[in-house]
Amino acid sequence: MASVLSRRLGKRSLLGTRVSAPSALADGVLVATQIPGLQTDLGRVSAHTVPREDGSCMPSAEESSQAARSGWRVTATNLPSCHFQVLVTYNGQECAGLVEQHNPLSDKVKVLLPEQGLQACWRAQDVRLAALQPPILPAAGGPGPAETLQRSVSSNIDVPKRKADATVEMDEMVAAMVLTSLSCSPVVQSPPAGESASRAACDPWKESGDVSDSGSSTTSGHWSGGSDISTPSPPHPAGSPKYSSEALSSPQADDGFETDSDPFLLDEPAPRKRKNSVKVMYKCLWPSCGKVLRSIVGIKRHVKTQHLGDSADSDQRKREEDFYYTEVQVKEEPAPEAAAATSPTSASAPIIIQQALAKPEALLVEQPALEPALASSALSQSAPSSFWHIQADHAYQALPSIQIPVSPHIFTSISWATATSTLPSLSPVRSRSLSFSEPQPPTPMLKSHLIVASPPRVSIGTRKVRGEAKKCRKVYGIEHRDQWCTACRWKKACQRFLD
DNA sequence: GTTGCCGGGGA
DNA sequence: TCCCCGGCAAC
């Protein structure tokens, strides 16, 4: 069992995954560099990098070897301009930091927090790329080959894999930067026009997280669940009738949308439990408003400006503000049904997100809870692949069992060789459903939905006709069950004595 | 009743 | 993915 456990842990490992991270090179050339590990001094870090003429840094060969031995890999290059700015959750707050080092072995990222003046390690999945460094025009004599001008995926920060789409990636970076600036400010009373902008900024960011998840479905690269706790969502437009009825659920719809795709994206819901905290929000009680904000200052300002009139400055007016909002405790459990329940009225956001999304699989994931009509069509296309992929879960039948015991029967090894050689002819029968399968990883979300939407099963007439050959049971007998082939032991089609 | 194995589910 | 087992069809 320990071996199984180790396998599962290995499956979740982020080793080898790469992410394109921006450096100070505006031309997009990313240089993977390495410096000795376990350094805490920025000065030392910079001292071990060799500046290049294009502004990037290259480690000396000696340093690279040391880094390889230490297991720490450098994610930042020159200092300070080459550091990746990331967002981490520290003491419940989202802080901007600079990635110093990343240890792929322990999957930890060493982040320097300038504001706190400290340095700490986070898990790679808890570190989110925040913003681009100010771009620097490419040097005339910079990296020579033209292909290096492409934004190559080279810097080795081992975070969940993301799709290597250059344009989308840049959009995500810009969006992250905008989002970062938004998150630093208190409640923003953004006008509707600004709201759409902020949403547009938010959505690619969300999408980036999803993409990083979907890159490897088994990774726990849950895109840092602490984000929605510390990052205020853009406020709803004041007085919007859309939020009049389901005022309380509106933020949940947003939050839910932000995360409700996760149970479908992720195999393991465990990391999500951190989101189950109760969050206090403030709901406007003005008739037909129902606006919900995250800060008391914001809701007071909202009531004053939107409903009581900004000119009201008397004490009575100020006291009135308190009557028009109430404190609401919102459990941050990303309940999918909550998102689904608000789908008809709050569908404006998903539409924007749909436009922002460039990846159809992410779109598929986002749709079902919020756009049932679109979801059905999308599911109808994706259903067969995922469903039939599930059907192929007995693929081991096509593989010879390695654990063939040393059998006293003289023909064991011979028949085993026969079984191995005849496997290709067998596979069409065994994995009959694979013909429907596309080379696409199954999405857990689709699994749950497609059980209902699955096409009718292949006729049970395909049941394998009993062959003439003796099977392990007959050959070895029930008393020597340990000598059976694995398939026979599992009551599957015998792999040792093929027909 | 025995045997082969499909489909489903637990770990 | 491994492993087990209920249940069904062929024998």
Side-chain angles (χ1 to χ4, degrees):
Chain A
M1 196 40 120
S3 63
V4 174
L5 187 62
S6 65
R7 267 199 300 273
R8 289 181 179 174
L9 288 176
K11 196 166 61 174
R12 299 175 53 146
S13 171
L14 297 175
L15 284 177
T17 59
R18 290 184 167 191
V19 62
S20 174
S23 71
L25 308 173
D27 56 1
V29 176
L30 301 176
V31 180
T33 61
Q34 293 179 327
I35 58 173
L38 301 176
Q39 296 182 1
T40 57
D41 188 338
L42 287 178
R44 284 190 60 194
V45 173
S46 62
H48 285 281
T49 56
V50 179
R52 294 192 348 171
E53 58 185 6
D54 57 1
S56 64
C57 309
M58 292 294 289
S60 64
E62 172 194 351
E63 311 298 350
S64 298
S65 60
Q66 290 182 13
R69 284 194 297 270
S70 66
W72 282 92
R73 216 185 306 174
V74 169
T75 51
T77 55
N78 201 3
L79 286 175
S81 60
C82 290
H83 272 63
F84 304 120
Q85 187 173 353
V86 296
L87 290 178
V88 297
T89 303
Y90 174 73
N91 279 346
Q93 285 187 329
E94 193 161 82
C95 307
L98 298 176
V99 172
E100 280 199 4
Q101 293 170 342
H102 176 238
N103 189 342
L105 299 179
S106 60
D107 202 27
K108 295 285 181 59
V109 178
K110 187 179 294 184
V111 179
L112 173 71
L113 299 176
E115 298 176 5
Q116 281 72 21
L118 55 86
Q119 191 178 42
C121 291
W122 274 264
R123 294 191 307 171
Q125 60 203 62
D126 291 333
V127 176
R128 291 173 298 119
L129 204 57
L132 286 171
Q133 294 293 331
I136 300 173
L137 289 178
E147 57 267 22
T148 61
L149 292 177
Q150 301 173 355
R151 188 179 295 105
S152 60
V153 180
S154 63
S155 284
N156 294 320
I157 175 171
D158 290 334
V159 297
K161 197 180 297 181
R162 60 200 308 169
K163 300 290 174 59
D165 187 325
T167 58
V168 173
E169 182 182 286
M170 179 57 75
D171 290 341
E172 292 171 5
M173 300 304 174
V174 176
M177 188 163 52
V178 174
L179 184 63
T180 304
S181 63
L182 285 176
S183 68
C184 295
S185 62
V187 174
V188 180
Q189 284 285 68
S190 61
E195 184 225 1
S196 64
S198 62
R199 280 193 185 276
C202 268
D203 300 337
W205 174 247
K206 287 185 250 179
E207 182 240 356
S208 73
D210 289 341
V211 168
S212 67
D213 282 342
S214 62
S216 59
S217 63
T218 55
T219 180
S220 63
H222 192 278
W223 75 282
S224 179
S227 63
D228 67 333
I229 297 175
S230 55
T231 303
S233 63
H236 301 302
S240 171
K242 287 181 179 178
Y243 302 95
S244 59
S245 59
E246 292 285 359
L248 175 58
S249 61
S250 291
Q252 283 182 324
D254 275 1
D255 290 342
F257 180 79
E258 189 173 288
T259 56
D260 62 358
S261 62
D262 284 352
F264 311 125
L265 275 174
L266 299 176
D267 286 337
E268 303 172 23
R272 302 169 51 94
K273 290 182 178 176
R274 74 177 80 173
K275 295 186 176 181
N276 288 348
S277 61
V278 175
K279 183 165 54 181
V280 176
M281 303 189 73
Y282 300 92
K283 174 187 172 186
C284 177
L285 297 177
W286 193 270
S288 73
C289 177
K291 186 183 179 77
V292 178
L293 294 177
R294 299 191 181 207
S295 80
I296 191 168
V297 178
I299 196 68
K300 281 185 176 180
R301 189 190 312 167
H302 162 77
V303 171
K304 186 171 66 177
T305 59
Q306 300 296 323
H307 305 309
L308 299 178
D310 207 1
S311 60
D313 54 354
S314 66
D315 289 340
Q316 181 184 0
R317 287 288 190 179
K318 285 182 180 177
R319 282 194 297 271
E320 274 187 35
E321 295 168 9
D322 297 334
F323 287 100
Y324 288 107
Y325 73 88
T326 183
E327 190 172 302
V328 173
Q329 290 194 345
V330 178
K331 189 176 183 181
E332 289 207 359
E333 186 170 1
E337 61 271 14
T342 60
S343 57
T345 56
S346 61
S348 60
I351 290 176
I352 297 174
I353 285 168
Q354 176 181 348
Q355 293 168 348
L357 290 174
K359 298 175 176 58
E361 60 268 34
L363 201 155
L364 279 178
V365 168
E366 298 284 1
Q367 289 300 321
L370 299 148
E371 289 284 335
L374 291 177
S376 61
S377 63
L379 284 175
S380 64
Q381 295 178 353
S382 61
S385 64
S386 297
F387 175 78
W388 292 113
H389 195 93
I390 294 167
Q391 290 300 307
D393 59 352
H394 289 299
Y396 66 90
Q397 295 178 7
L399 297 175
S401 174
I402 304 174
Q403 49 171 337
I404 174 173
V406 179
S407 171
H409 298 270
I410 189 170
F411 52 83
T412 298
S413 62
I414 299 173
S415 59
W416 185 246
T418 304
T420 306
S421 62
T422 54
L423 277 173
S425 63
L426 182 72
S427 55
V429 179
R430 298 273 187 248
S431 57
R432 65 195 183 280
S433 60
L434 281 177
S435 58
F436 295 89
S437 174
E438 299 170 1
Q440 185 179 11
T443 306
M445 174 276 297
L446 296 174
K447 183 189 266 185
S448 62
H449 281 262
L450 297 173
I451 299 300
V452 180
S454 61
R457 294 277 168 81
V458 175
S459 164
I460 56 175
T462 59
R463 188 184 181 96
K464 188 181 180 183
V465 179
R466 184 178 296 182
E468 297 295 325
K470 290 181 179 180
K471 304 299 180 183
C472 293
R473 179 194 288 261
K474 281 189 177 179
V475 171
Y476 301 113
I478 193 76
E479 65 275 14
H480 295 108
R481 193 169 183 266
D482 56 345
Q483 293 180 353
W484 296 2
C485 69
T486 306
C488 281
R489 270 189 276 121
W490 299 345
K491 295 171 71 172
K492 300 293 180 183
C494 179
Q495 290 298 298
R496 188 171 297 176
F497 305 105
L498 299 171
D499 297 326

